[in-house]
């Protein structure tokens, strides 16, 4: 008992404490431990023994073990897609395509957003020549993940390589409905150009510039037209781009490209107009490239006057920046006005004066008002001595002042005096507007009569006068005004006047009068738009026999325009006629119009400069109409050429596959 107690009281030895806790001189890092383990190859496993399969039973056993291994890996972590792909590729290597498909489908159930999985699946089908299966997979992929561009690219490429051009085009159209990035549109355009489908490419460009309305895309569209020889179309594209962006979003690159296009077409006056238009509206900081190109152009093709215009434009920009920075810097305004008075037109000078006098001094100090008053003095002197003009605006402001003072007779007297001294369109319009507000319609009639005596060529005045009578319910008087207007020997906008007259009769439901108006207009001009409008009127009349009358007008127009030199206008008429027959005509009517459509051929012509020297040859497109007797030999030649080409192709096919011919002969 005592012995055991003594043993229990025996002390357990304590762990020795580390007295020196300073770091060792040689430190061992985890990287060193790993490196030493690698060098000593402590964890290197021996390679598995090579196994030779001698019979089918061993092969099946090997497949069973491998599949079990793959399935175990998948069961451990279903989200690791690489395990699924390795499993499917192993099955594919054994030509077990159906099993590989099953694996890919199971993997898609786990993660259908994995792009690599779809790509590997489709590549397997294409590699094994399973085209329909591959199409099915691509359709599912682009339906599930339509924003993955790689699927669309590979799908269209596969269809194109298979020669299924229509199918590839259909895939591209489905893609464009999603409004993808710019490169996708370019791929579609290049696809059409590879097969010489220029018209289709133009249609795609039309949609492209609306989906991605950047300046660079409009420029690419115009250059596409220029590259294929459609110079008129290219010019229209540039003009539409300028109108599309307007003055709020002007970009110098667009105008530089437009000017260079016109320069290539030798339209030097157009180039100057474009540069000047842009320089007047774009700030100096944003127009450095514009100035540079304009200067180079004038040095190449301009004269001394053109170079001086560039210098003046630069100085105008400097003054614009100064007055924008400080609108009350009247000295800058004086310098600016002296510059524009020496070089610009009267309207431009007036505009600058109006802007200058709008900046009234903010405080009542003589030193500020002294400079400001001289702006008015100089403005009045300019109008009196240079422009020889009496302010219409001043007369109108004076009349409005008298009206505010409730002195209507004085206002009328002032406006009557102004019309007697300096009759201007603005004064007549202001006086008529005043009387309209007062509902003095008899006075308005008298003023319109005086206005038209002063300017009988002004179509807008005639139209406004007739509209006034229409509003007042005097239809016969309005019709008489229109008749008097169209009988004038000189008009500034006759097409607008005739259209207004025709619209007036249509509103009055006077079908026969409208028809007679069209006939009278066609006696003066045979423009294609008049014929098309006439036909559309007959179609929209809704009366019995309207289709026959519309068709009769198209036939009459086609006969009349056979001698027309503008073949594009004649083509426009036939296209309108064909659209009508497509909607309302029978099969024979459509076939008849199709036979009238021209053949589009490429020709060459010699180009001469202004001095009469030769400038080479240029290509252009011409239209050969079947109805023209003079063109019958050309059409026969074209038909013979097409027949010869077809025979050559059949001959080449026969030479490439002679065995097929032998087999057919033996059979």
């Amino acid at each position: 008992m005592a012995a055991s107690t003594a043993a229990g009281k025996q002390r357990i030895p304590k762990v020795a404490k580390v007295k020196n806790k300073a770091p060792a001189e040689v430190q061992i890092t985890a990287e060193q431990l790993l490196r030493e383990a690698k060098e000593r190859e402590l964890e290197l496993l021996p390679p598995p023994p090579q196994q030779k399969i001698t019979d089918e039973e061993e092969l099946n056993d090997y497949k069973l073990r491998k599949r079990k291994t793959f399935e175990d890996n998948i069961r451990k972590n279903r989200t690791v897609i690489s395990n699924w792909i390795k499993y499917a590729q192993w099955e594919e290597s054994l030509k077990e395509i159906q099993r590989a498909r099953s694996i890919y489908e199971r993997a898609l159930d786990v993660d259908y957003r994995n792009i690599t999985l779809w790509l590997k699946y489709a590549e397997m089908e294409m590699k094994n020549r399973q085209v329909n299966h591959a199409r099915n997979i691509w359709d599912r992929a682009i339906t599930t993940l339509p924003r993955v561009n790689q699927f669309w690219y590979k799908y269209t490429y596969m269809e194109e390589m298979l020669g299924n051009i229509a199918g590839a085009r259909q895939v591209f159209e489905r893609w464009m409905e999603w409004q993808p990035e710019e490169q996708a549109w370019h791929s579609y355009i290049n696809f059409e150009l590879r097969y010489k489908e220029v018209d289709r490419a133009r249609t795609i460009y039309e949609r492209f510039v609306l989906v991605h309305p950047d300046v660079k895309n409009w420029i690419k569209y115009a250059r596409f037209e220029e590259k294929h020889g459609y110079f008129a179309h290219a010019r229209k594209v540039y003009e539409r781009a300028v109108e599309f962006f307007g003055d709020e979003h002007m970009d110098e690159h667009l105008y530089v490209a437009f000017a260079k296009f016109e320069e290539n077409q030798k339209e030097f006056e157009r180039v100057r107009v474009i540069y000047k238009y842009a320089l007047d509206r774009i700030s100096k900081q944003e127009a450095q490239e514009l100035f540079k190109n304009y200067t180079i152009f004038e040095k190449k093709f301009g004269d001394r006057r053109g170079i001086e215009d560039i210098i003046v434009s630069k100085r105008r920009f400097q003054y614009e920046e100064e007055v924008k920075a400080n609108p009350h810097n009247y000295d800058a305004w004086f310098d600016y006005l002296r510059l524009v008075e020496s070089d610009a037109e009267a309207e431009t000078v007036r505009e600058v004066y109006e802007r200058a006098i709008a900046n009234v001094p903010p405080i009542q100090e003589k030193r500020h008002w002294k400079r400001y008053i001289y702006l008015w003095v100089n403005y009045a002197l300019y109008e009196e001595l240079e422009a020889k003009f009496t302010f219409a605006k001043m007369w109108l402001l004076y009349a409005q002042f008298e009206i505010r003072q409730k002195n209507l007779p004085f206002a009328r007297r002032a406006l009557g005096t102004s019309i007697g001294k300096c009759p201007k369109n603005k004064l007549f319009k202001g006086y008529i507007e005043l009387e309209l507000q007062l509902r003095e319609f008899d006075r308005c009639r008298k003023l319109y009569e005086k206005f038209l005596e002063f300017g009988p060529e002004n179509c807008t005045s005639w139209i406004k006068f007739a509209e006034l009578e229409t509003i007042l319910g005097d239809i016969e008087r309005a019709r008489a005004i229109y008749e008097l207007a169209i009988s004038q020997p000189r008009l500034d906008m006759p097409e607008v006047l005739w259209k207004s007259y025709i619209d007036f009769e249509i509103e009055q439901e006077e079908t026969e009068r409208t028809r007679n108006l069209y006939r009278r207009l066609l006696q003066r001009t045979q423009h294609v738009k008049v014929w098309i409008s006439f036909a559309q009127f007959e179609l929209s009349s809704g009366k019995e026999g309207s289709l026959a009358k519309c068709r009769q007008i198209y036939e009459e127009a086609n006969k009349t325009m056979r001698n027309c030199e503008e073949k594009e206008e004649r083509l426009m008429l036939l296209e309108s006629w064909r659209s009508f027959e497509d909607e309302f005509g029978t099969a024979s009517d459509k076939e008849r119009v199709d036979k009238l459509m021209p053949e589009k051929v490429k020709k060459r012509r010699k180009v001469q400069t202004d001095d009469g020297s030769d400038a080479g040859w240029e290509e252009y497109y011409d239209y050969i109409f079947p109805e023209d007797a003079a063109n019958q030999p050309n059409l026969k030649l074209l038909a013979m050429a097409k027949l010869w080409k077809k025979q050559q192709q059949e001959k080449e096919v026969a030479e490439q596959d002679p065995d097929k011919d032998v087999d057919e002969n033996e059979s």
Side-chain angles (χ1 to χ4, degrees):
M1 186 73 178
S4 61
T5 305
K9 291 182 178 180
Q10 187 178 2
R11 293 182 178 179
I12 299 173
K14 295 182 179 180
V15 179
K17 294 183 179 180
V18 179
K19 295 181 180 180
N20 186 6
K21 295 183 179 180
E25 295 181 359
V26 179
Q27 295 289 319
I28 300 176
T29 62
E31 184 182 356
Q32 287 176 322
L33 293 174
L34 292 173
R35 190 187 305 117
E36 289 180 4
K38 178 67 176 175
E39 291 174 354
R40 297 177 185 178
E41 297 181 349
L42 297 177
E43 297 182 1
L44 184 64
L45 297 176
Q50 292 184 353
Q51 183 180 6
K52 292 184 179 180
I53 299 173
T54 57
D55 57 9
E56 185 177 356
E57 184 178 355
E58 290 184 1
L59 177 61
N60 293 333
D61 183 59
Y62 167 72
K63 290 180 180 179
L64 182 62
R65 283 186 283 106
K66 287 290 288 184
R67 286 178 182 136
K68 185 177 182 302
T69 303
F70 281 121
E71 291 290 346
D72 290 340
N73 291 336
I74 291 170
R75 197 178 301 108
K76 289 176 185 177
N77 195 344
R78 291 170 56 84
T79 59
V80 179
I81 300 300
S82 59
N83 291 337
W84 293 95
I85 294 175
K86 290 177 183 177
Y87 190 7
Q89 289 177 342
W90 180 78
E91 293 288 2
E92 182 189 356
S93 66
L94 298 177
K95 304 301 180 183
E96 295 282 355
I97 305 302
Q98 195 61 39
R99 285 181 174 272
R101 284 195 193 108
S102 176
I103 295 165
Y104 276 121
E105 291 294 339
R106 289 166 58 196
L108 288 173
D109 290 338
V110 175
D111 185 7
Y112 69 91
R113 293 181 177 274
N114 192 292
I115 299 173
T116 306
L117 192 59
W118 287 103
L119 294 174
K120 294 292 184 182
Y121 192 4
E123 286 173 5
M124 180 198 75
E125 298 291 3
M126 291 189 294
K127 193 185 303 180
N128 290 280
R129 301 178 184 276
Q130 301 293 324
V131 176
N132 289 330
H133 281 285
R135 284 195 180 110
N136 183 28
I137 294 163
W138 288 129
D139 276 325
R140 291 166 57 195
I142 61 178
T143 304
T144 308
L145 302 171
R147 290 298 180 186
V148 180
N149 293 333
Q150 197 172 1
F151 293 160
W152 295 99
Y153 283 123
K154 286 187 175 291
Y155 193 5
T156 55
Y157 181 71
M158 182 191 79
E159 295 291 0
E160 188 176 0
M161 289 298 100
L162 293 171
N164 186 11
I165 308 305
R169 184 176 292 119
Q170 186 177 7
V171 176
F172 269 119
E173 285 295 333
R174 290 173 59 189
W175 192 5
M176 296 308 110
E177 290 177 0
W178 289 94
Q179 297 184 356
E181 60 187 15
E182 296 178 6
Q183 186 56 43
W185 291 91
H186 291 310
S187 298
Y188 191 10
I189 292 167
N190 293 333
F191 164 79
E192 295 293 359
L193 292 179
R194 283 197 292 273
Y195 298 97
K196 312 299 181 185
E197 296 286 350
V198 179
D199 292 334
R200 290 182 181 271
R202 180 181 296 113
T203 305
I204 299 166
Y205 261 119
E206 287 288 342
R207 295 156 57 193
F208 174 43
V209 296
L210 296 178
V211 175
H212 296 282
D214 297 331
V215 170
K216 62 179 181 180
N217 295 331
W218 282 95
I219 294 174
K220 287 179 182 177
Y221 184 14
R223 287 176 178 169
F224 155 80
E225 297 286 5
E226 183 181 2
K227 179 181 178 182
H228 290 86
Y230 297 98
F231 301 116
H233 288 180
R235 182 175 291 115
K236 288 181 181 177
V237 172
Y238 278 120
E239 292 171 353
R240 285 173 54 200
V242 171
E243 183 180 356
F244 178 82
F245 290 102
D247 293 342
E248 296 82 9
H249 306 284
M250 296 184 70
D251 192 301
E252 64 171 344
H253 298 95
L254 174 62
Y255 291 92
V256 170
F258 193 3
K260 287 184 177 179
F261 163 76
E262 296 293 358
E263 183 179 336
N264 294 335
Q265 306 307 313
K266 312 298 182 185
E267 296 284 351
F268 300 130
E269 288 303 319
R270 284 179 176 267
V271 177
R272 288 191 181 90
V273 171
I274 293 167
Y275 277 125
K276 290 179 180 179
Y277 177 85
L279 289 172
D280 289 341
R281 288 163 176 78
I282 302 178
S283 62
K284 183 179 179 182
Q285 289 80 3
E286 300 175 355
Q288 297 298 326
E289 191 70 19
L290 203 61
F291 263 124
K292 179 181 176 182
N293 284 276
Y294 188 22
T295 306
I296 294 173
F297 167 77
E298 288 294 352
K299 287 181 179 178
K300 288 167 60 178
F301 304 104
D303 51 8
R304 180 178 177 182
R305 177 63 180 173
I307 298 173
E308 288 178 354
D309 287 342
I310 298 177
I311 298 172
V312 171
S313 298
K314 288 184 177 180
R315 290 176 61 192
R316 286 187 64 184
F317 268 108
Q318 294 173 358
Y319 289 132
E320 282 286 350
E321 296 300 323
E322 289 184 19
V323 297
K324 283 181 181 178
N326 183 10
H328 297 95
N329 184 358
Y330 300 119
D331 291 330
W333 282 111
F334 286 129
D335 294 337
Y336 190 7
L337 288 164
R338 277 195 292 270
L339 175 67
V340 294
E341 284 183 20
S342 63
D343 188 72
E345 296 179 356
E347 288 299 324
T348 306
V349 177
R350 290 192 186 98
E351 180 187 354
V352 178
Y353 266 117
E354 291 290 337
R355 290 170 54 197
I357 61 178
N359 298 292
V360 181
I363 55 177
Q364 301 293 331
E365 289 188 9
K366 184 177 180 180
R367 60 189 182 91
H368 293 291
W369 283 89
K370 184 178 180 181
R371 305 295 293 166
Y372 176 72
I373 290 298
Y374 272 103
L375 287 174
W376 286 95
V377 173
N378 291 346
Y379 195 2
L381 289 172
Y382 170 78
E383 293 292 354
E384 181 182 356
L385 301 177
E386 301 294 334
K388 309 292 184 183
F389 179 75
T390 305
F391 264 133
K393 188 174 182 180
M394 291 295 294
W395 287 106
L396 292 173
L397 289 173
Y398 174 46
Q400 292 170 7
F401 164 76
E402 293 291 358
I403 291 171
R404 288 195 297 270
Q405 305 304 316
K406 300 181 180 180
N407 292 327
L408 183 59
F410 284 95
R412 283 177 172 152
R413 188 183 305 166
L415 290 173
T417 304
S418 67
I419 290 174
K421 287 187 175 182
C422 53
K424 297 289 181 182
N425 292 346
K426 194 172 183 180
L427 286 172
F428 278 108
K429 291 177 182 177
Y431 199 175
I432 292 170
E433 184 66 26
L434 170 65
E435 297 296 351
L436 279 174
Q437 292 175 359
L438 296 172
R439 299 295 187 268
E440 294 286 348
F441 299 117
D442 289 334
R443 288 180 178 270
C444 291
R445 287 190 176 110
K446 292 180 181 178
L447 285 171
Y448 268 121
E449 291 172 2
K450 293 291 184 182
F451 192 4
L452 293 171
E453 287 178 7
F454 165 70
E457 74 282 352
N458 192 331
C459 291
T460 305
S461 304
W462 288 104
I463 294 171
K464 292 292 184 182
F465 192 7
E467 288 177 353
L468 172 64
E469 297 295 349
T470 305
I471 293 171
L472 296 176
D474 198 339
I475 304 303
E476 292 300 325
R477 192 181 181 97
R479 187 174 288 119
I481 291 170
Y482 275 121
E483 286 292 337
L484 187 60
I486 62 176
S487 64
Q488 297 299 315
R490 189 167 63 89
L491 295 169
D492 55 357
M493 294 184 295
E495 66 281 357
V496 177
L497 179 63
W498 278 94
K499 185 179 184 304
S500 178
Y501 193 4
I502 290 170
D503 292 342
F504 163 77
E505 294 292 0
I506 292 174
E507 288 178 3
Q508 304 304 319
E509 298 182 355
E510 294 285 350
T511 306
E512 194 60 36
R513 288 181 181 273
T514 307
R515 191 175 289 118
N516 292 335
L517 271 179
Y518 271 114
R519 289 297 179 186
R520 291 167 62 188
L521 179 57
L522 288 171
Q523 291 177 359
R524 301 193 180 196
T525 176
Q526 294 291 329
H527 198 278
V528 65
K529 291 186 178 180
V530 180
W531 284 108
I532 294 174
S533 177
F534 191 9
Q536 295 297 327
F537 160 73
E538 292 290 358
L539 180 63
S540 62
S541 63
K543 296 185 177 181
E544 186 178 356
S546 59
L547 294 178
K549 289 181 180 179
C550 180
R551 186 176 290 111
Q552 182 181 357
I553 290 169
Y554 276 122
E555 293 174 353
E556 183 182 351
N558 185 43
K559 291 179 182 178
T560 305
M561 297 189 69
R562 285 179 182 175
N563 299 325
C564 178
E565 296 182 357
E566 296 293 334
K567 295 185 178 181
E568 291 185 355
E569 292 187 1
R570 187 176 174 187
L571 175 62
M572 188 188 306
L573 175 72
L574 290 174
E575 288 177 347
S576 177
W577 189 2
R578 184 166 61 181
S579 299
F580 162 74
E581 296 294 356
D582 289 341
E583 187 172 357
F584 302 102
T586 62
S588 59
D589 294 331
K590 296 177 185 178
E591 184 180 0
R592 178 189 174 193
V593 178
D594 288 336
K595 289 180 180 180
L596 297 176
M597 297 302 291
E599 288 281 345
K600 186 178 180 181
V601 296
K602 185 185 289 186
K603 293 185 177 181
R604 297 179 66 202
R605 60 187 173 197
K606 187 176 290 186
V607 181
Q608 291 185 343
T609 59
D610 296 336
D611 57 0
S613 59
D614 292 338
W617 295 80
E618 70 172 1
E619 292 183 348
Y620 70 100
Y621 287 97
D622 194 11
Y623 297 97
I624 300 177
F625 291 86
E627 290 184 315
D628 298 342
N631 290 328
Q632 291 299 329
N634 294 333
L635 287 176
K636 291 180 180 178
L637 183 61
L638 282 173
M640 293 174 63
K642 288 182 178 179
L643 180 62
W644 177 83
K645 185 177 181 180
K646 183 178 179 181
Q647 292 174 352
Q648 290 295 114
Q649 290 176 349
E650 293 176 352
K651 185 178 179 182
E652 290 177 0
V653 171
E655 291 176 355
Q656 291 176 359
D657 198 1
D659 296 336
K660 184 176 180 182
D661 296 338
V662 172
D663 293 340
E664 291 177 353
N665 293 331
E666 290 177 355
S667 62

